[in-house]
């Protein structure tokens, strides 16, 4: 290497030159071929296509008519600190597609832009961004790597992650410095491309779409995976199974409406990449928490095509669900991207402006990792915040979704370091005229210091309440020292959310989620069984709070199987009678099992897919019927979905409180009772004088109910509270029964001692 080249090259390039002759990097920065690099030759690009200045807004690729009425596409990319940006156009799919490069010469406020006549919807494209290679200062520009537009609305192709897609030499012998050695091989043949999409989303069907706008208090959420929900559905046509169109099929929607849920919460549908360690083991990322395109529906879930067709297919799915009265909530991953840490691939943001998009440590080679996934987006930066909010608004206004569940939301709420509930992200969301009107759900934690923030998010936000999950699991495995925690969780978690105007529906109550055991496995396994993931069963939590009813895994023992089904009924009934917003996981209502896996993130197979044979299985069909019945009961009775917290105070002249707690002896609980060991709890919900008014301005009244929860191993007596609470009670739900009677039984006079079977929930309606 000449001394001049040596002076221009960074330390990593000099290391490369000393080792394997890879320091031709500055030639690549000038858009010239770098010669032979590790045995691969990059060929010169075809002649450039002329570009006009265009406009810096909106960001992304927008098809439109130019000033001389010539159709074309405006391209705009924020690339702060870059020295040059090339737009790369491809004439077809696959690694042999011919590439034409267009240098974007216009830059406004760090946005590189240009209008290219003749570029129409369906055009595949990407970017090459030029700049310094100096990992020690966080600069990782490498024009040999084709980059996905962060604003691409459709993506064609898949990320296979061969060595060529890494900005550094992935296989460098000294791994401790591998990230500093630039790899000049061309990645274009190995990465997917962005696709220009027509902006018009106002066809007749879309214009007449009607959002359900279900109030939070009336919501019942159903978490599902687009692929896994219909992959085995016998009534969905084979070519549509596992796709957006499959979820929109009447057979799929019929199950949702029969169950009675009001919203589906879709596991990530942003374009995502599979991690290299999974691909090496023949596995794939199934859950999708590895986003790389925040505007693009994941192409693998489309039945109609991947050159823009996936956008229309997603919109039609949303319309079909809305027509059935079902809202669509997206699980979104804005806390990190698929580019991982310094040893991760260069796919998009890392090559556009690594220092601008990611949080870096004091040693700028390294990433601040509050997510456990290698990197954390730097949401304090205005352009990063803009990327996220533009993405959110796009999914609401142009794709029709009704809300979002934010993965590891505490990472988004960090200011410079600490979680800050006055952070720019939360402030911007709180004042945005579009986003403040949709459903916002926080996963209120991350893996960094101080990241656990359950109960701390501001009004407007709801939260996944893991304290509810843990309390209910512990109660039904008889592991709580007393019933104080259970009392709070059943009645809306006022200890967490009764501040700043928050309401009971700030608590999204769940017993299971995608991450962890299914409901059936929760009562069938005490140990995780993740061997199929190829990680030595080290992955996944060991804190399952599960009970296998005496036998680990599947069994032919009829008594154990009956006990497990009873426990499932107890868990479902508890969830759907609790104040707050209940969330079920697809398949739990009919006994889906993952055979003990509590971390099926890479199991894109029957382990994770919903097993529809259970729907008609005599052993499991009664569980589905109970779930539907409980949701219908919840919809009919406003006392079960209150919009305000219980006060525990009288609201009428008869002196009845809106919420009362009873011991097994039929007496109201004292402070001493709350601290005493107990396996039984009685909860009285008064339907008189429910706070608020109906849409006509009239007072809301309802039946009153008494719920008796008994987690003990033996039957126990319970005295039904007498006057003034009731004159008579009718049993509405008895989880001790395999089948539930549609009509209530003859009932019991108030003051009657009854026997509650072991491990049972009784729901009784006050009849007089």
């Amino acid at each position: 290497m000449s001394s001049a080249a040596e002076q221009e090259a960074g330390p990593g390039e000099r290391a490369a030159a000393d080792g394997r002759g890879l320091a031709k990097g500055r030639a690549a920065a000038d858009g010239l071929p770098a010669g032979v690099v590790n045995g691969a030759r990059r060929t010169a690009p075809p002649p450039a296509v002329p570009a006009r200045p265009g406009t810096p807004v909106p960001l992304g690729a927008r098809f439109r008519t130019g000033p001389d009425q010539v159709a074309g596409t405006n391209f705009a990319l924020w690339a702060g600190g870059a020295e040059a940006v090339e737009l790369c156009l491809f004439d077809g799919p696959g690694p042999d597609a011919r590439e034409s490069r267009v240098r974007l010469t216009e830059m406004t406020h760090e946005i590189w832009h240009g209008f290219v006549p003749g570029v129409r919807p369906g055009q595949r494209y990407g970017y090459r961004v030029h700049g310094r290679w100096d990992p020690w200062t966080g600069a990782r520009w490498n024009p040999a790597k084709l980059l996905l537009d962060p604003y691409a609305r459709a993506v064609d192709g898949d990320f296979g992650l061969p060595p060529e897609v890494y900005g550094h030499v992935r296989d460098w012998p000294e791994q401790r410095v591998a990230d500093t050695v630039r790899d000049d091989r061309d990645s274009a043949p190995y990465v997917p491309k962005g696709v220009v999409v027509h902006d018009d989303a106002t066809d007749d069907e879309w214009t007449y779409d009607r959002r359900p706008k279900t109030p939070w208090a009336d919501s019942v959420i159903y978490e599902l995976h687009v692929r896994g929900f219909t992959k085995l559905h016998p009534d969905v046509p084979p070519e549509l199974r596992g796709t957006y169109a499959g979820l929109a099929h009447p057979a799929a929607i019929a199950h949702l409406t029969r169950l009675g849920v009001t919203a589906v919460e879709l596991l990530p549908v942003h374009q995502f990449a599979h991690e290299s360690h999974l691909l090496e083991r023949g596995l794939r990322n199934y859950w999708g928490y590895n986003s790389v395109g925040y505007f693009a529906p994941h192409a693998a879930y489309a039945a109609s095509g991947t050159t823009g067709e996936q956008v229309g297919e997603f919109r039609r799915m949303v319309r079909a669900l809305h027509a059935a009265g079902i809202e669509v909530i997206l699980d979104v991953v804005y806390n990190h991207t698929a580019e991982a840490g310094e040893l991760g691939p260069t796919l998009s943001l890392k090559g556009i402006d690594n220092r601008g998009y990611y949080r870096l440590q004091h040693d700028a080679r390294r990433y601040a990792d509050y997510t456990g996934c290698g990197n954390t987006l730097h949401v304090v930066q205005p352009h990063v915040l803009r990327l996220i909010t533009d993405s959110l608004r796009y999914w609401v206004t142009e794709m029709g979704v009704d809300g979002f569940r934010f993965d590891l939301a505490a990472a988004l709420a960090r200011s410079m370091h600490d979680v800050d509930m006055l952070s720019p992200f939360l402030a911007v969301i709180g004042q945005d005229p579009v986003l403040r009107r949709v459903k916002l759900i926080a996963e209120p934690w991350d893996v960094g210091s101080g990241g656990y923030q359950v109960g701390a998010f501001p009004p407007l936000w709801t939260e996944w309440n893991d304290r509810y999950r843990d309390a209910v699991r512990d109660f039904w495995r008889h592991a709580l020292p007393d019933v104080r925690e259970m009392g709070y969780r059943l009645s809306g978690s006022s200890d967490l959310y009764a501040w700043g105007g928050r309401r009971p529906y700030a608590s999204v109550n769940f017993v299971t989620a995608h991450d962890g055991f299914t409901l059936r496995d929760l009562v069938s396994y005490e140990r995780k069984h993740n061997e199929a993931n190829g990680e030595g069963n080290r992955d996944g939590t060991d804190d399952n709070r599960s009970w296998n009813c005496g036998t680990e895994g599947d069994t032919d023992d009829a008594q154990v199987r009956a006990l497990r089904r009873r426990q499932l009924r107890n868990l479902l009934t508890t969830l759907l009678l609790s104040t707050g917003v209940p969330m079920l996981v697809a398949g739990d209502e009919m006994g889906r099992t993952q055979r003990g896996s509590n971390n099926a993130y890479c199991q894109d197979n029957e382990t994770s897919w919903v097993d529809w044979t259970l729907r008609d299985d005599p052993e499991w069909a009664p569980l589905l019927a109970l779930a539907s019945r409980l949701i219908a009961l919840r919809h009919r009775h406003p006392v079960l979905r209150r919009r305000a917290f219980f006060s525990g105070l009288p609201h009428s002249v008869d002196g009845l409180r809106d919420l009362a707690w009873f011991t097994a002896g039929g007496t109201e609980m004292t402070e001493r009772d709350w601290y005493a060991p107990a396996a039984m709890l009685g909860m009285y919900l008064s339907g008189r004088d429910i706070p608020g008014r109906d849409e006509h301005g009239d007072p809301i009244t309802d039946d009153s109910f008494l719920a008796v929860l008994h987690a003990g191993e033996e039957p126990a007596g319970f005295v039904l509270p007498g006057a003034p609470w009731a004159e008579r009670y009718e049993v509405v739900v008895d989880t001790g029964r395999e089948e539930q009677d549609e009509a209530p039984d003859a009932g019991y006079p108030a003051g009657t001692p009854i026997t509650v079977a072991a491990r049972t929930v009784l729901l009784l309606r006050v009849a007089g």
Side-chain angles (χ1 to χ4, degrees), residues 124-145:
R124 297 169 177 86
Y125 73 100
Y127 290 106
R128 298 183 188 273
V129 181
H130 302 257
R132 293 184 306 110
W133 175 263
D134 187 8
W136 286 266
T137 63
R140 293 184 178 273
W141 284 286
N142 185 345
K145 307 307 168 184

Side-chain angles (χ1 to χ4, degrees), residues 466-486:
D466 68 329
R467 288 187 58 179
Y468 178 93
R469 174 200 64 196
D470 293 349
V472 172
R473 289 185 178 192
D474 282 346
F475 179 81
W476 285 112
R477 68 189 182 110
H478 201 7
L480 287 177
D482 52 52
V483 291
R484 285 177 295 156
E485 184 77 3
M486 195 64 175

Side-chain angles (χ1 to χ4, degrees), residues 671-713:
E671 184 174 358
R672 176 178 295 179
D673 293 323
W674 284 110
Y675 285 86
M680 181 179 284
L681 183 64
M683 178 176 66
Y684 184 97
L685 306 173
S686 175
R688 307 184 191 185
D689 302 318
I690 297 174
R693 299 189 177 197
D694 65 17
E695 59 186 3
H696 304 292
D698 297 325
I700 300 174
T701 59
D702 192 14
D703 293 331
S704 296
F705 291 90
L706 174 67
V708 181
L709 295 84
H710 177 41
E713 299 176 4

Side-chain angles (χ1 to χ4, degrees), residues 332 334-335 359 378-381 384-389 392 404-415 420-432 435 440-442 457-458 460-461:
V332 289
Y334 294 112
N335 56 78
R359 291 180 181 266
H378 202 347
V379 181
V380 175
Q381 296 278 18
V384 180
L385 188 56
R386 178 182 178 182
L387 170 68
I388 294 172
T389 53
L392 292 168
F404 305 94
R405 178 265 188 190
F406 292 82
D407 180 66
L408 299 181
L412 299 172
R414 290 182 181 271
S415 289
D420 179 5
M421 292 305 159
L422 297 176
S423 66
F425 172 76
L426 293 178
V428 167
I429 296 292
Q431 61 78 45
D432 189 284
L435 301 179
L440 303 172
I441 307 170
F457 274 71
L460 186 68
W461 287 80

Side-chain angles (χ1 to χ4, degrees), residues 77-78 140-141 147-151 291-292 294 336-339 345-358 367 375 377-378 384 387:
L77 175 74
W78 183 92
R140 293 184 178 273
W141 284 286
L147 307 174
L148 184 67
D149 179 2
Y151 280 74
S291 299
V292 71
Y294 290 130
H336 75 280
T337 75
E339 294 185 300
T346 297
L347 308 175
S348 183
L349 306 182
K350 185 181 288 187
I352 295 170
D353 186 356
N354 185 58
R355 297 177 298 185
Y357 277 107
Y358 292 113
Y367 294 78
N375 65 54
L377 278 181
H378 202 347
V384 180
L387 170 68

